[in-house]
Every structure is written in C-alpha cells, then in structure tokens.
Amino acid sequence: MRNIKYLIVGMLFGIVLVKSQVVSWFRIQEMFRLQAFHMYGVIGSAIVVGMISVLLIKRFQIKTINHEAVVIPDKNFTGATFTADSSSASAGQLPVPAPVHYSPKLAAAF
Amino acid sequence: MMELIKQPWPWYVAGPLIGLVVPALLLLGNKTFGISASLRHICAACIPANISFFKYDWKKESWNLFFAAGIILGGFIATYLLSNPGPVGINPDTIAALKHQGVKDFSGLLPQDIFNFSQLLTLRGFVFIVVGGFLVGFGTRYAGGCTSGHAIMGISSLQWPSLVATCCFMIGGFVMTWFILPYLLQL
C-alpha cells in the first residue's frame, strides 16, 4: 500500500500532461515545425524547476520522508538505467561504443 | 475557478508542475522520475523469456508501475472531468501544413483519421500505431530513458548522457517531421 503515493503523484502528473496538451500529437508537430513556444516552454521550465529542486536537496541535504539520504543514480551510456546494465551488451545484441561507462560526475560540482 | 481549470493550461503553469515531480518522487522514497522503464518492468513481469535484460527483481521497481497507472488515471480525469472538449489551439500554420500533407481531423488531441482502431489494419495506420509504438519501446530502452527520465530527470541532475540523449531525441524528431513524416502521411 506504500505504493499508493506514487499512484497519486502519477495521477497529478497525468492531469498536467493532458491539461497542458503536451500529450497532443498536434502540439508535438507544432514543436518540431518551430511554430510555437509552448512545448519548449513546458520542457524548459520543467528542467529549470527540477534542477533547482535537485540543487536544493543536495545543498541542504534534505532527507526523504523516511529520513534516508537522497541518492540519484548515474545515467550511463550502456542502455538500461539500473541492475543488469551491461547485460544486453554482453549478450551481443547491442553495438555499444567502447567507453561505455563515460559519466563525468558533473553533479560532484556541488 | 473550475472554468479556469477547464481551460488548457499555459506552459508556465504546466512546466513547473512537471518539474516538481522530480523532488516529489525523490523525497517520497528516493525514486528517480521516469516512465519508460515501466515498459521493461511489464515485460520482466509478464514474459521474462529467459532474457538477461529481464532478469532482475522487477517487484522492487513496482512503484514505477503504480506511477504509470496513476498517469493513465490522471489522463482520464483530466479528459473527462477537467476539460472542455474541442480542438487543440495550435498555430494555424501547423494546421495548414498538416492539411496539405493529408491530415484531415483536427477535432481532438490526435488526428482521429490516423490514430483509430479502424485504421490499425491499413498500411498507414499500422506504421503509425504499431511501428511507431515499437520504436518508442525499443528506443526508450536502448537509450535508458525517455523525455521524462533523460530530458527532465537526467538534465535536472546534470547528467551528461541525458543531455546527449535529449539532443538526439530532438534531432530524431526534426528529421522525422521534416523528412520522413510527409511520406508516411501519403501511405
């Protein structure tokens, strides 16, 4: 039942996606034809707010509601985001470039 | 107030709200914002098929499935309770260009003349719905994230691979829109 909170966050997120029309095929067309600022505004301001939030969490070492330290795993170029990261590469299915674990920790700057 | 909510929301309201999902998930339980991983979890849960890519404890990631289910629920609520039905107010130039390329229906969020069950078994409908869906599923897993996981979560936390992925998403979108889509619409 502790997953219900994610259902609620997802629900609010889904409402925003529809209300801002970013789910619209037409909005996406408009974006890639450079005929409106709307989508760029949505994505850009979301990134800015997200970035400030992450900065504040790190700067003030804000804890989760369960009093755990916040950990953000590194993204890497291998394909998947966690656990069996290199599994598909080792299975020979995906042509992964040589420096697979290239992740300069920019985040270490603060 | 209700009338204000029922109108389409401008970018400066929607964007910051989407950005706030990042700290919300981090603080609720150390979860990193992302949606497309749910596709992998569903595969791992339903058809692992002895593939190493699907051999992991997907139950640990079940929060992501609740999150994805919430998005669907929220979409229904927004569409049926919080919106006035009608066309999306896009730039008339976009409408003119799409009409010229063969799109007919502009009454909703998607062109109904393409994204429709009755179109599924036509060549054009199959390409848009099935081939397009395959590319979304394959591409997001190959890249390790979609617009949420890379563009918003990844760039927010200053991750270089996410910036590369986002630039590539944009290039892909421009190439598709300008050079490929006009031909697909003619199918």
Side-chain angles (χ1 to χ4, degrees):
Chain A
M1 281 301 102
R2 59 202 177 85
N3 278 327
I4 293 299
K5 54 184 183 279
Y6 303 115
L7 185 90
I8 293 167
V9 176
M11 186 187 79
L12 297 174
F13 178 55
I15 290 173
V16 177
L17 289 182
V18 170
K19 286 308 306 179
S20 59
Q21 302 174 330
V22 299
V23 292
S24 168
W25 189 86
F26 295 119
R27 282 288 183 200
I28 294 166
Q29 278 299 305
E30 193 187 44
M31 167 173 78
F32 284 122
R33 289 162 194 266
L34 300 174
Q35 289 169 327
F37 178 72
H38 183 81
M39 293 292 279
Y40 296 101
V42 170
I43 298 172
S45 58
I47 292 173
V48 169
V49 169
M51 200 179 284
I52 293 170
S53 308
V54 172
L55 272 168
L56 290 176
I57 287 173
K58 290 192 175 179
R59 178 73 182 76
F60 297 103
Q61 309 215 327
I62 301 170
K63 299 273 192 283
T64 70
I65 54 169
N66 298 321
H67 311 291
E68 293 162 348
V70 171
V71 182
I72 301 174
D74 282 342
K75 293 265 186 189
N76 58 49
F77 280 122
T78 50
T81 46
F82 56 88
T83 60
D85 262 338
S86 53
S87 58
S88 44
S90 57
Q93 294 164 333
L94 306 174
V96 176
V100 281
H101 277 287
Y102 184 65
S103 55
K105 297 196 176 53
L106 292 171
F110 31 84
Chain B
M1 185 65 193
M2 200 56 196
E3 269 315 297
L4 200 63
I5 289 175
K6 282 194 162 190
Q7 286 168 11
W9 296 357
W11 65 265
Y12 50 83
V13 171
L17 286 174
I18 293 172
L20 286 175
V21 176
V22 170
L25 292 177
L26 283 174
L27 297 179
L28 282 174
N30 251 326
K31 306 301 185 203
T32 48
F33 181 38
I35 302 162
S36 52
S38 61
L39 300 173
R40 184 188 186 191
H41 305 326
I42 292 168
C43 291
C46 301
I47 37 166
N50 217 14
I51 298 167
S52 56
F53 186 64
F54 294 137
K55 278 186 194 160
Y56 63 97
D57 188 6
W58 62 269
K59 289 196 181 92
K60 272 190 180 163
E61 307 295 331
S62 59
W63 76 272
N64 199 253
L65 299 175
F66 281 83
F67 184 63
I71 294 170
I72 297 170
L73 182 64
F76 268 101
I77 293 172
T79 304
Y80 291 105
L81 303 176
L82 302 176
S83 297
N84 296 318
V88 178
I90 55 169
N91 190 326
D93 292 345
T94 310
I95 296 180
L98 288 172
K99 272 189 179 158
H100 182 71
Q101 292 179 353
V103 178
K104 294 188 185 71
D105 176 83
F106 291 85
S107 63
L109 289 170
L110 301 167
Q112 294 281 337
D113 50 333
I114 299 172
F115 298 97
N116 189 311
F117 272 118
S118 65
Q119 290 293 310
L120 186 58
L121 295 177
T122 65
L123 178 61
R124 188 173 76 161
F126 186 84
V127 168
F128 273 82
I129 299 167
V130 180
V131 179
F134 173 82
L135 290 175
V136 169
F138 180 82
T140 54
R141 281 307 83 213
Y142 191 34
C146 58
T147 323
S148 313
H150 273 311
I152 297 175
M153 183 68 218
I155 296 180
S156 288
S157 51
L158 305 179
Q159 307 215 34
W160 169 243
S162 293
L163 185 63
V164 175
T166 305
C167 290
C168 292
F169 294 160
M170 294 309 290
I171 294 168
F174 281 110
V175 169
M176 172 53 86
T177 301
W178 289 93
F179 302 115
I180 305 174
L181 189 70
Y183 298 101
L184 296 184
L185 286 168
Q186 299 304 318
L187 288 175

